[in-house]
Amino acid sequence: MTSLPTTYPTIRVTAMPADANPYGDIFGGWLMGQMDLAAGSVASHHAGGRAVTIAVEGMKFHRPVIVGDEVSVYATLVATGNTSMTIEVEAWRRGRHSDEAYKVTQARFVFVAIGEDRQPRRVAGMAG
Ligand SMILES: CC(C)(COP(=O)(O)OP(=O)(O)OC[C@H]1O[C@@H](n2cnc3c(N)ncnc32)[C@H](O)[C@@H]1OP(=O)(O)O)[C@@H](O)C(=O)NCCC(=O)NCCS
C-alpha cells in the first residue's frame, strides 16, 4: 500500500464534480491550477511579496484523479536565482474511503518576484 508523505501539504482539497471532464475524471487543468496555487503560496511567502508563474517544467500526469478524491499538494522551494524561485510540486490523491494514496502529478514551477511596477525584483537566496 502507498501512503501519503508525512509532511504537511501546502494545499488539501476535495475534487468535486464541477472539476471533472465529460468522462467524470478530474481535468488536468484543474490539478495544474491547484499546483500553481500551492507553488505561488510558497513563492510569495519566500519573496515577501508578489510573485508570478513564468514557467512550468517537467509536468507529468501519472494517474487519474476521481471525483471525491482528497487531493494533497506538496510544494517545496528547491532553488533561488536573482529574481526567480523554483518550486518542486507533487500532487497526491487518496480515495475518499481509503487509506491508499498515490502520487498523481509532479512538476517544477518557476516563479519570479515582481515589484509594484510588475518588473522582476531580487529575492533572498535559500541559505540562511
Ligand atoms: C515575470 C516577468 C515580469 C519577468 O520578466 P522577464 O523580462 O520575462 O524576466 P527575465 O527574462 O528578466 O527573467 C526573470 C527570471 O526568470 C527566469 N526565467 C525566464 N524565463 C524562464 C523560463 N522559460 N524558465 C525558467 N526560468 C525562466 C530568468 O532566468 C530570470 O531568473 P533570475 O533572475 O533568477 O536569473 C514577465 O515575464 C511576465 O510578466 N510574465 C507573465 C507572468 C504571468 O502573468 N504569469 C501568470 C500567467 S497567467
Side-chain angles (χ1 to χ4, degrees):
M1 187 172 89
T2 317
S3 303
L4 286 172
T6 51
T7 53
Y8 284 110
T10 312
I11 284 179
R12 179 166 280 162
V13 66
T14 300
M16 297 295 284
D19 309 318
N21 64 27
Y23 305 104
D25 292 340
I26 295 303
F27 276 120
W30 177 83
L31 196 51
M32 283 185 77
Q34 300 302 313
M35 295 169 78
D36 197 28
L37 281 173
S41 177
V42 170
S44 299
H45 185 218
H46 182 78
R50 193 166 179 168
V52 290
T53 319
I54 194 163
V56 182
E57 301 171 347
M59 185 88 195
K60 179 168 182 187
F61 293 88
H62 301 286
R63 289 170 177 262
V65 175
I66 314 298
V67 169
D69 280 354
E70 179 194 80
V71 176
S72 300
V73 185
Y74 300 84
T76 308
L77 181 69
V78 294
T80 53
N82 292 322
T83 67
S84 67
M85 295 158 282
T86 302
I87 296 116
E88 184 74 38
V89 184
E90 293 184 359
W92 288 65
R93 66 165 288 250
R94 183 184 64 77
R96 194 168 178 76
H97 306 139
S98 169
D99 287 328
E100 280 189 68
Y102 300 94
K103 181 162 67 174
V104 288
T105 58
Q106 64 188 114
R108 280 176 310 283
F109 284 71
V110 183
F111 275 70
V112 174
I114 58 169
E116 291 294 321
D117 57 359
R118 295 180 179 266
Q119 294 307 303
R121 67 175 177 83
R122 292 185 75 87
V123 290
M126 289 182 65

